[in-house]
Amino acid sequence: MKVTSSIKVLYFVVIINFLGCKRNQPETIKIDKKPNILFILVDDLGYHDLGITGSTFYETPNVDKLATEGVMFTNGYAASRVCSPSRASIMTGKFTARHGITDWIGAKAGKDWRIRNRHDKMLPANYVMQLPKEDITMAEAFKEQGYKTFFAGKWHLGGEGSYPEDHGFDINIAGIDAGSPRGGFFAPWNNSKLKNKLKGENLTLRLANETADFISKHKDSTFFAFLSFYAVHAPVQTTQEKWRKFRNKADSMGIANSGYQMERILPIRQIQDNPVYGGLVESMDDAVGVVLKALKDNGIDDNTIVVFTSDNGGVASGDNYATSNLPLRGGKGYQWEGGIKEPFFINVPWLKSIKSSEVPVVSTDLYPTLLDLADLPLNANQHVDGLSLKPILEGKDFDTKRPLFWHYPHYGNQGGEPSSIIQKNGWKLIHYWEDGREELFKLPSKENDSENVISQYSDIANNLSNELLAWLKEVNAAYPITDTEFDANKRNQYLNNLVNKKLPNLEKQRLDMLSPDFKPNDDWWGSQVYHD
C-alpha cells in the first residue's frame, strides 16, 4: 500500500508540474482567446517609400520596426494599380475582373471618357460602382465569428448604402465615398463620418488616435480593426516644420538640376526628393507608431496579428508626381512593377519561423490568411482568388506555381494603358488592349520592366497569353472598345504639349518646392493647430 500511495503522490506531482508548465506556454493564451487583427492600409504608398525597402530620403522607423518583427513578403502585390479595385479585392478575396470594380470609383468610362480631352484610341470599359452586397466581406466574416469590427479612414467603395457599416463594420470613422480627404489633411475637413475638433488637427494622426482609442476600449474583447489611411494620397500636404526638415535633407544630399524624364505618355519622377511628400510619409509613420504603442500599452501586442500594405504603387506620374519608384518602372496607374508591387508585411507574434519570403503573393490572399491564422473557417466560395499564406508564415511548403491576374481595361490618370497581366512561374506577360501587342518579362526584372523578351521566349508568351485570355473569358471580364471618333492629329498635339509644356512646368515646381523660401500659402494648408 505504501508503494502504491507513493506512486499516486508522484503521479499527481508530475501532472501538476506538467499543467503548470503548460500554463506558462504562450500557446495557452492563444487558445484561450482568439487573436485580434489590426490591418493597416496606406493609400498610394510605393514599394520603395520606406527605409526598410530602400529609401534613403523618407524616414519610417515605426513601419521599419514592424517589418523586422514580422515577415516581409518581398514580392507582395496589390490586386490593382489603382485604389478602389485593389480595396475591393482585399475585402472580397477576388481579383478585379471577377468582382467588376476595375477602376477607381468615379472615373469616367465609355463615351464619358471623351470629356477628359486626352483623345485616346479606346473608350474605357464600364465597371461596377460599389462593393457588391452579395459578397461576404472580410469584416463580415470576422463579425460572424464574434469579432468587434472597426473601420477608420478611406473607404471609396461606394456611397450611401455601401459604406463600411453596410459591409460588416460595427464602427465607421471617416469612411465615405471620397477617394481623397475632402478639405485636405488639416481640419476643418469635410467628412460626414468624422467630426471636426481642433482647427489644424492632422487627419492621419486623428485616424490613428481613433483607432488607438478603439483598441483601448476593446482590449478585453476580440476585435478586427481596419486602419485605412487617406495618406499618402493627394493632396500632398505637410507642416512647415516637416517640409523644412526634408528640404534641408534634400539639400544635404545634393539637389539635382532635373528630376523627371518622359515615360511613354507622361513625365515621370526619377528622384525621391519631394520635401512635402517626405513630411506626409513621416506623418503616416508617426501614426503607425501611435497604434502599435496602443497595442503594447494595453498588453495585447502578443495576441494581435498586424498586417501592413498599400493599395497600389507610389504616384510618380499624374496626380502630384510625388515620388519615384525606381528601380521599379512606373508607379500608380501603370501596368509595370512600380504600379502593383507593394510593401507587404505580416506580424504574427507567436510565429517566428521566417523573416522574409520571396514567394509572389497578392492582397486577395489576406482574407483567407487572416481567417486561417485565427483558426476560423475559410470560405473558399468567397475568397476564390486568394490562398492562405499561413504555410509560408510557418515555414512550410506553398503553391508557388499558381497564376496571378490583373485586369485594367482603362486609361490611368498617371499614364497607364488599358491592359491585362498574368504572372506565373517567374514570368509576367502584359496584354495591351489598344492593339493586342504583348510584353514578356522574366522576374525579377533586372531592367526595370524595359527588357521585353517576348521574341526570345515566344512559346512561353503564347501559353501565358492563352491562359490569360481564357481566364478573362471565364470570369466574364469587361473590355474597352475602339473610339470611332479618335483623331490622331489631336492625340499628337496632346502628347506634344506634355513634352513641351508639362515637363518644364514640373521641373520648375520641383525646384520651387526645394527652394529655402518656399511657401505654399499663408497658413501651410491650415496645419497650425488652434485650441479654443
Side-chain angles (χ1 to χ4, degrees):
M1 291 295 294
K2 273 188 176 182
V3 173
T4 304
S5 299
S6 298
I7 292 174
K8 286 183 177 180
V9 170
L10 179 60
Y11 174 80
F12 284 115
V13 168
V14 169
I15 291 296
I16 290 170
N17 287 335
F18 175 77
L19 291 175
C21 290
K22 290 297 284 183
R23 275 198 301 271
N24 292 328
Q25 296 294 323
E27 287 80 2
T28 302
I29 298 173
K30 178 175 174 287
I31 292 171
D32 290 343
K33 183 177 182 293
K34 292 292 184 184
N36 303 305
I37 310 292
L38 173 61
F39 195 122
I40 303 174
L41 181 65
V42 186
D43 196 8
D44 290 358
L45 185 74
Y47 181 81
H48 292 295
D49 281 353
L50 303 171
I52 193 72
T53 54
S55 178
T56 58
F57 184 65
Y58 310 128
E59 298 180 11
T60 55
N62 293 303
V63 176
D64 295 351
K65 184 174 184 291
L66 171 63
T68 58
E69 291 176 346
V71 176
M72 293 180 58
F73 289 86
T74 56
N75 288 304
Y77 291 91
S80 177
R81 64 183 86 167
V82 295
C83 56
S84 297
S86 182
R87 292 161 183 271
S89 291
I90 289 172
M91 287 293 168
T92 65
K94 296 178 179 179
F95 288 142
T96 60
R98 194 185 298 273
H99 59 61
I101 303 177
T102 51
D103 206 356
W104 60 274
I105 294 175
K108 299 296 183 183
K111 294 180 179 180
D112 289 342
W113 183 249
R114 294 174 182 150
I115 297 172
R116 300 292 307 277
N117 291 319
R118 290 179 31 141
H119 311 290
D120 291 304
K121 291 182 179 180
M122 306 195 82
L123 298 176
N126 291 313
Y127 60 94
V128 176
M129 300 289 283
Q130 66 178 26
L131 197 62
K133 286 188 177 295
E134 56 268 26
D135 278 303
I136 301 171
T137 67
M138 186 190 303
E140 288 171 322
F142 278 96
K143 186 174 181 176
E144 288 174 359
Q145 297 297 322
Y147 277 66
K148 185 71 174 179
T149 54
F150 170 90
F151 184 91
K154 175 174 172 175
W155 178 245
H156 205 190
L157 288 173
E160 289 286 349
S162 189
Y163 279 162
E165 58 267 38
D166 302 305
H167 293 281
F169 289 100
D170 297 314
I171 299 171
N172 172 24
I173 304 293
I176 55 175
D177 59 317
S180 60
R182 291 174 180 160
F185 280 101
F186 301 99
W189 37 70
N190 180 18
N191 189 312
S192 60
K193 299 291 184 178
L194 184 67
K195 294 181 179 179
N196 286 288
K197 291 182 177 180
L198 296 174
K199 185 179 179 181
E201 183 180 18
N202 183 289
L203 175 61
T204 307
L205 290 174
R206 170 68 178 277
L207 295 175
N209 288 327
E210 292 281 356
T211 306
D213 184 59
F214 169 83
I215 289 170
S216 297
K217 289 178 178 177
H218 296 86
K219 63 182 179 181
D220 296 324
S221 61
T222 307
F223 62 78
F224 172 82
F226 200 106
L227 173 54
S228 175
F229 289 119
Y230 280 94
V232 291
H233 191 285
V236 178
Q237 299 173 340
T238 192
T239 63
Q240 185 176 10
E241 292 74 20
K242 286 188 181 294
W243 163 81
R244 182 180 294 111
K245 170 183 175 178
F246 286 97
R247 186 267 155 199
N248 291 341
K249 185 172 185 177
D251 188 45
S252 68
M253 296 172 70
I255 297 175
N257 292 328
S258 175
Y260 297 90
Q261 69 178 30
M262 291 300 299
E263 240 311 338
R264 282 185 183 167
I265 299 170
L266 288 176
I268 190 165
R269 196 176 189 106
Q270 300 295 293
I271 304 171
Q272 290 187 348
D273 64 358
N274 184 333
V276 179
Y277 186 73
L280 183 59
V281 171
E282 187 176 57
S283 292
M284 177 277 296
D285 186 76
D286 293 341
V288 170
V290 169
V291 292
L292 296 182
K293 184 176 184 297
L295 294 177
K296 187 172 183 179
D297 288 350
N298 286 285
I300 55 175
D301 54 321
D302 62 349
N303 194 45
T304 301
I305 300 165
V306 182
V307 172
F308 180 95
T309 191
S310 175
D311 59 349
N312 49 247
V315 184
S317 288
D319 297 1
N320 272 265
Y321 295 83
T323 191
S324 170
N325 299 294
L326 292 176
L328 302 180
R329 186 180 181 185
K332 178 182 179 180
Y334 281 97
Q335 57 274 10
W336 301 300
E337 290 286 275
I340 54 176
K341 192 171 183 178
E342 307 302 328
F344 199 112
F345 314 139
I346 303 177
N347 183 19
V348 185
W350 57 90
L351 292 180
K352 299 297 180 183
S353 301
I354 62 170
K355 297 303 295 180
S356 67
S357 171
E358 296 181 353
V359 175
V361 298
V362 67
S363 52
T364 50
D365 295 331
L366 293 170
Y367 190 154
T369 298
L370 293 174
L371 288 176
D372 203 7
L373 289 170
D375 292 326
L376 299 177
L378 301 185
N379 185 354
N381 292 326
Q382 174 57 54
H383 44 73
V384 291
D385 295 313
L387 292 178
S388 172
L389 306 180
K390 185 177 179 181
I392 299 178
L393 296 166
E394 293 177 333
K396 299 177 181 178
D397 292 336
F398 183 80
D399 179 10
T400 60
K401 296 183 179 181
R402 59 164 176 162
L404 303 180
F405 298 101
W406 291 265
H407 182 57
Y408 190 71
H410 312 278
Y411 290 97
N413 293 339
Q414 303 78 18
E417 301 158 80
S419 52
S420 300
I421 305 168
I422 179 173
Q423 182 170 315
K424 185 178 181 181
N425 292 341
W427 296 94
K428 181 174 70 175
L429 179 127
I430 304 175
H431 179 93
Y432 290 89
W433 294 106
E434 279 190 345
D435 52 15
R437 74 186 188 281
E438 294 180 333
E439 296 172 341
L440 180 69
F441 302 100
K442 184 76 175 74
L443 298 176
S445 176
K446 295 180 181 179
E447 299 296 330
N448 308 326
D449 282 354
S450 61
E451 187 184 6
N452 179 10
V453 297
I454 195 165
S455 59
Q456 297 100 297
Y457 301 96
S458 57
D459 288 345
I460 292 174
N462 288 335
N463 290 336
L464 289 174
S465 179
N466 290 335
E467 186 171 359
L468 171 63
L469 298 178
W471 183 83
L472 291 171
K473 182 178 180 180
E474 176 189 331
V475 298
N476 196 29
Y479 304 98
I481 60 172
T482 300
D483 187 354
T484 56
E485 296 183 11
F486 172 69
D487 188 319
N489 291 329
K490 290 182 178 180
R491 176 63 176 176
N492 288 333
Q493 183 179 353
Y494 169 78
L495 295 176
N496 287 335
N497 285 336
L498 293 175
V499 175
N500 299 320
K501 294 182 179 180
K502 184 68 175 180
L503 181 59
N505 286 338
L506 286 170
E507 294 287 13
K508 181 181 183 300
Q509 291 169 12
R510 171 180 164 269
L511 292 177
D512 286 346
M513 194 175 292
L514 286 163
S515 67
D517 57 352
F518 172 71
K519 189 175 183 181
N521 58 6
D522 289 339
D523 62 358
W524 281 80
W525 300 293
S527 61
Q528 184 175 349
V529 177
Y530 295 88
H531 295 273
D532 295 332

